[in-house]
Each structure stands twice: as C-alpha cells, then as structure tokens.
Amino acid sequence: MADHLPLHYALSEALIVIAAIYAVARTWPTNRWFAVGLAAAGVAALVAIVRIAGGMTGDIVILHEFLSRYGALFGLGCMGGAMLGWKAWLPPLLGVVAAGLGMTFPAATPLLLAGLILGGAALVYRRTMDQKFLAAGSFAFLLLAGLTSMPFRAEHPALSWHIFHTLVAVWYGLVATFVTETLHSRSQGSSS
C-alpha cells in the first residue's frame, strides 16, 4: 500500500471511529478495561483519518501501522482479560503480553489475532446466559472481517480496505449490542 492514500480511504476509517465511540461509550460504565480494549482500534482509525486527510507520509504511516497491528493485539488481550475477570491487573497484562508477542514474533501476528478473537468468542459464550451463539458470533465477526477482505488485497486494495474497515465498524456495533449486554448482565448479577 502506498504511503499517500486517496481521501476516500478515510471514509471507512471514519465509520470505525464512530462505531468505536459508540461501543466504548456503551461499555465504559460496565467494564472499563473492555472499553479500553475496544478503544485501541478506534485510535488507530483516528490516526489513519489524520494521516489520509492531511496527505501525510513518513512517521505517521509507521504509527498507524503500529497501532493497527499491535493496538488490535493489546485491545483483544484487554477484552479477554476483562471477560475472565479474575484480577483487576489481568486485562492490561494480557494486552501487553499479546502486543509483546506480536512484536517479538511478527509472522505470528495473524495467528495471535485469530486466537484472541476465537478465545474471546469462547469467553463471551461462557459468560452469556441467553443468546450464547449470537453473542459469541458477534465477537467472532471480527475474524470474518479479515477473511472477507483478504482475497481482494492484491488486485483491489481499495475494495479490500473498505470491506475490512466497514466490517470492523459493524463488529463494533455487534459487540456494543450483544457482548456489552453480556457484561452488563454479569455485573448486575454479581452486584446483587
């Protein structure tokens, strides 16, 4: 992908930012570390908008790629730790370990992402009282976003970009609707 991107690339990034703000706002009152995990990819999308709209190249491209790859690992680690709920320090620890593994073994990043997504879906399934498959499927939808856009990357990079980012925005909406309800109902049950 070229350093300088046409302005239309910022449109699907804006969808992610809007969806991330919605998801973080819905999740923050119930589980702050889960919300921090959701915010990670939203920050990467915001940096992408600044990069694209400003026609910027150089270090901001590196920052965007770093936040996209390792921010996603950190965020998914935080969300997994938040769903485990054992200790308050577990979400950031798992986030840092996931990002650190990705930095140490960059070739393993796709497998780490897939493992964290599927592990997160399993945790959502385990924690959900009703609509288990819907909630877990909502979390796992992120994996579908990557797989759906992959065939277009080489020959149609703009289409791949927009498919992936639009589906990530849909994932935020699904998580905010179905997984946040799971977190909310668990926090209500534990407070009574």
Side-chain angles (χ1 to χ4, degrees):
M1 181 87 37
D3 283 350
H4 181 72
L5 299 173
L7 193 55
H8 68 85
Y9 277 73
L11 295 176
S12 54
E13 294 283 6
L15 289 175
I16 292 176
V17 171
I18 292 165
I21 289 169
Y22 169 72
V24 169
R26 266 197 73 141
T27 308
W28 185 262
T30 306
N31 192 312
R32 292 194 173 149
W33 276 114
F34 196 90
V36 166
L38 288 170
V43 170
L46 184 60
V47 169
I49 291 169
V50 171
R51 163 196 170 188
I52 296 164
M56 301 166 83
T57 61
D59 290 341
I60 196 162
V61 173
I62 296 167
L63 177 63
H64 174 230
E65 290 171 358
F66 179 85
L67 291 173
S68 294
R69 181 171 295 129
Y70 305 116
L73 288 169
F74 174 79
L76 288 166
C78 283
M79 287 185 270
M83 285 186 287
L84 284 169
W86 295 333
K87 299 285 182 186
W89 49 262
L90 186 61
L93 176 66
L94 288 181
V96 168
V97 167
L101 284 171
M103 288 179 218
T104 305
F105 306 105
T109 297
L111 290 175
L112 284 167
L113 286 167
L116 287 167
I117 293 166
L118 293 174
L123 287 170
V124 169
Y125 181 84
R126 186 182 69 112
R127 288 192 62 155
T128 304
M129 301 299 183
D130 299 319
Q131 300 180 333
K132 287 178 171 289
F133 288 108
L134 183 59
S138 295
F139 197 88
F141 186 84
L142 185 58
L143 190 57
L144 179 68
L147 293 174
T148 302
S149 64
M150 197 176 297
F152 303 103
R153 286 190 185 150
E155 293 190 27
H156 306 286
L159 180 61
S160 175
W161 178 284
H162 292 307
I163 288 171
F164 178 70
H165 291 100
T166 300
L167 292 178
V168 169
V170 169
W171 174 77
Y172 271 110
L174 291 171
V175 168
T177 302
F178 299 108
V179 178
T180 301
E181 289 302 317
T182 296
L183 294 170
H184 182 68
S185 66
R186 289 294 262 196
S187 70
Q188 294 290 18
S190 64
S191 65
S192 52

